[in-house]
Amino acid sequence: MHRNCLSASLLVATTLVFSYDALASDWQWAGGVVITHQQTDAPEVASETAASADLVLIKQQVSGRWLMHVEAASSPKFMGVSNQLPEANSDAGSAISKNDQGRFQLSELYYQHQFSAQQTLSAGLLDVSSFFEQSRIASDEATQFLGAFFTGNPVLAFPDYTLGVVYEQQFNGGPTLRTAITSSNGLADNPARSYSQVLAVTEEEKGLFAISSLSWRNASSLIRIGVWRSTADFSRLDDANAVADNYGVYVLAGYQYGQHAWNLRLGAANEDVSQAAAFSGLSYQFSQGHYVLGVGMARTYQAKVSKAENTADTQQYEIYVRYTLADGFYLTADWQGIVNSNFTPDTARRNQLDQVYGVRFSWVFG
């Protein structure tokens, strides 16, 4: 086993042992350990073994709850799959230092106050994307799709774990309204990846990130539409000395019928500053006994101003088969095809398919 993978696995096990007494009363807890191995036919890209571990603790209060999320990750290999083909592994490098070394970190710590059964307010250090971009079949990189285009919408300029507030309102017989205001820069968005920089919300070039959505959901379907804006200083693609806000719209839709489930993501951003101007992604899941099959295809469309350069739209395809070894233990075989990774294809391989083959072991508990 890769040295960093072993360290991450031991870390979460140790955390569980020392946390047991604290969790025995009115605490709720959940988490997992994920180990992936990937290799590719792309020239000069090395095979890579990566690991991550998560632990979420929830303390219930009379009218709300506290949530704490700690995680660890192994160090990404510089010439490895996750660095050279960044779409291939959305689980790798989730907790790294300013020197790109894996670390243990506090990712979330916030309080969620429940005014009523239909009104809640969350405030603190949080992952704002988890409130606005969750899909039943295409959001969990630990057990579902591993590719970045199938765990989130890449045109949304979500900050990493950041300071903010999220308000949720459920209307009787109608949609759910969610709205959030956060700092534009989260833990991984700052050069030092430090908590002091997270707290320094008024630093130059930073701003606010705001998002609102309406969701209609029942037992079998979900439709969510939303708008967002970031007032951070984004450099214009046609003039690096000028800055502008980034903003956009998005749609998330899902439907489940028996053993079959589908998910659709659409989005658009300000192509004056965002090279990822638009996105479309479709994924499908089939469940049968201990097996789950997932198939996905997605495309990110580059901004018009970028098309004169040596760039092209990025496409991603993924097929995975997951087998349940035992309760909470999963083994997944995964194939991905990536065209023009990160909009910047090698001249000799423009519009060529880079294939990534992988296997993933997951332990999910709680």
Side-chain angles (χ1 to χ4, degrees), residues 22-23 26-30 55-61 64-69 110 112:
L23 301 176
D26 54 350
W27 288 81
Q28 298 174 9
W29 56 288
L55 180 64
V56 176
L57 306 178
I58 298 175
K59 170 69 171 177
Q60 296 292 340
Q61 302 288 315
R65 64 177 188 169
W66 284 94
L67 184 145
M68 180 173 68
H69 173 203
Y110 66 87
Q112 187 172 71

Side-chain angles (χ1 to χ4, degrees), residues 96-143:
I96 56 175
S97 69
K98 65 179 181 179
N99 298 319
D100 295 329
Q101 297 299 303
R103 69 177 181 182
F104 176 87
Q105 71 179 34
L106 172 65
S107 296
E108 295 181 273
L109 179 61
Y110 66 87
Y111 179 70
Q112 187 172 71
H113 185 77
Q114 189 167 7
F115 297 100
S116 69
Q118 297 175 308
Q119 290 179 299
T120 59
L121 181 71
S122 305
L125 178 67
L126 47 78
D127 175 15
V128 66
S129 67
S130 66
F131 293 87
F132 293 88
E133 250 286 290
Q134 286 297 301
S135 161
R136 288 172 171 144
I137 68 166
S139 286
D140 181 10
E141 62 272 17
T143 60

